[in-house]
Amino acid sequence: DQQVKQNSPSLSVQEGRISILNCDYTNSMFDYFLWYKKYPAEGPTFLISISSIKDKNEDGRFTVFLNKSAKHLSLHIVPSQPGDSAVYFCAASAGGDKIIFGKGTRLHILP
Amino acid sequence: DARVTQTPRDKVTEMGQEVTMRCQPILGHNTVFWYRQTMMQGLELLAYFRNRAPLDDSGMPKDRFSAEMPDATLATLKIQPSEPRDSAVYFCASGLGAPYGYTFGSGTRLTVV
C-alpha cells in the first residue's frame, strides 16, 4: 500500500511560469514532509521540508503548501527555470527518522 | 561541501555472485539509510541505522540481502547470491533526522546478468 502518492508521472511547464507538483498521503501519523529533486545519474537532493504544524514554508523560488485535512501537499516553483527540469520526489516521515518516498514526477521546463 | 561517498559507482556481475556496496556517510551524521531505485517502485527503503544500530530492515529480502555498519564511517549492503531482479540503482543517505533532510550519495548502479 503506497503511503505517499504522486499521481502525475510527468508535467511540462513553460519557462517563467509556475510549476505545481502535487502529492497525497494516507498516513495521518506523518509529521514531516520533504521534497527532493533528482537529476539523471545523481542522487536525490533535498529541497525543502515542512512540519505538519505549519501550512506553508518558503525558500526562494520554492514554496511548499500543506493541507492536512485533505492529506495533500504541493510544491510551487516560481518562476520556473530550465535547470528545474528534473524528477521531483515527495517524501514523508512519522516520528522524525525514516522517510517514505513517492514514485516521483518528472518536470520538463519548456523554452 | 560534505558528501556521502558510495563505491563502486557501477557494478556488473553474473547471477549468483556476491555483491558488496559501500557507503561513507557524512561525519557526524547519526542516521544512515539504504534505498533502491527501480522504474516500477521508485525509491524503496531497504534498511536504516541510527548510531550504527539497525532499526528497520523490513524492506530487504532477508534471505539474500544484509546491511551492516561496522563503524561510523562505513555502511555496507551485501547481496548473496545476486539475481537479475536485483538490478537497480542503490543509494545511501545520511543525516540527523527528517526535519533537516538527508544527504544522498550518487548511487551504485548494479546490473546482474
Side-chain angles (χ1 to χ4, degrees):
Chain A
D1 181 33
Q2 231 188 319
Q3 298 186 62
V4 179
K5 300 177 188 178
Q6 294 178 258
N7 293 318
S8 300
S10 68
L11 175 68
S12 295
V13 174
Q14 209 76 38
E15 182 180 351
R17 306 294 287 267
I18 182 171
S19 294
I20 301 176
L21 297 123
N22 293 305
C23 178
D24 297 297
Y25 62 96
T26 58
N27 188 345
S28 57
M29 300 301 290
F30 286 146
D31 55 3
Y32 264 96
F33 302 89
L34 306 92
W35 284 94
Y36 280 78
K37 172 180 179 179
K38 185 182 181 305
Y39 292 122
E42 294 183 12
T45 303
F46 171 66
L47 269 179
I48 191 168
S49 66
I50 187 168
S51 163
S52 60
I53 63 172
K54 295 188 174 182
D55 54 19
K56 178 182 173 180
N57 189 25
E58 206 169 340
D59 183 2
R61 294 185 300 114
F62 302 92
T63 303
V64 57
F65 295 92
L66 175 62
N67 182 334
K68 281 186 65 178
S69 60
K71 292 194 175 71
H72 178 84
L73 64 154
S74 60
L75 175 69
H76 293 211
I77 307 174
V78 185
S80 301
Q81 299 175 353
D84 297 330
S85 293
V87 177
Y88 289 78
F89 289 97
C90 172
S93 170
D97 236 4
K98 177 168 78 173
I99 53 174
I100 307 296
F101 284 85
K103 293 192 176 182
T105 297
R106 184 176 300 276
L107 176 64
H108 302 270
I109 303 301
L110 306 171
Chain B
D1 272 345
R3 57 176 64 188
V4 174
T5 303
Q6 288 186 246
T7 56
R9 188 65 193 265
D10 285 279
K11 177 73 175 178
V12 180
T13 192
E14 290 186 349
M15 183 174 64
Q17 296 297 304
E18 178 179 301
V19 175
T20 298
M21 290 168 269
R22 292 176 174 81
C23 168
Q24 182 178 354
I26 291 172
L27 192 64
H29 282 183
N30 65 350
T31 310
V32 176
F33 296 86
W34 283 105
Y35 284 90
R36 173 170 66 181
Q37 185 182 21
T38 61
M39 291 296 291
M40 296 300 293
Q41 297 298 327
L43 279 164
E44 297 175 85
L45 177 64
L46 296 175
Y48 84 104
F49 300 81
R50 191 195 302 139
N51 297 323
R52 293 178 54 206
L55 288 189
D56 185 348
D57 61 1
S58 58
M60 286 198 318
K62 300 282 194 313
D63 56 337
R64 298 184 301 107
F65 284 57
S66 62
E68 295 179 347
M69 271 201 81
D71 61 63
T73 65
L74 178 65
T76 62
L77 180 67
K78 189 175 295 187
I79 308 174
Q80 168 62 17
S82 56
E83 297 180 1
R85 59 179 166 153
D86 301 329
S87 297
V89 181
Y90 291 80
F91 288 105
C92 175
S94 73
L96 296 171
Y100 311 102
Y102 293 106
T103 303
F104 279 73
S106 298
T108 292
R109 179 177 297 278
L110 174 64
T111 304
V112 184
V113 297

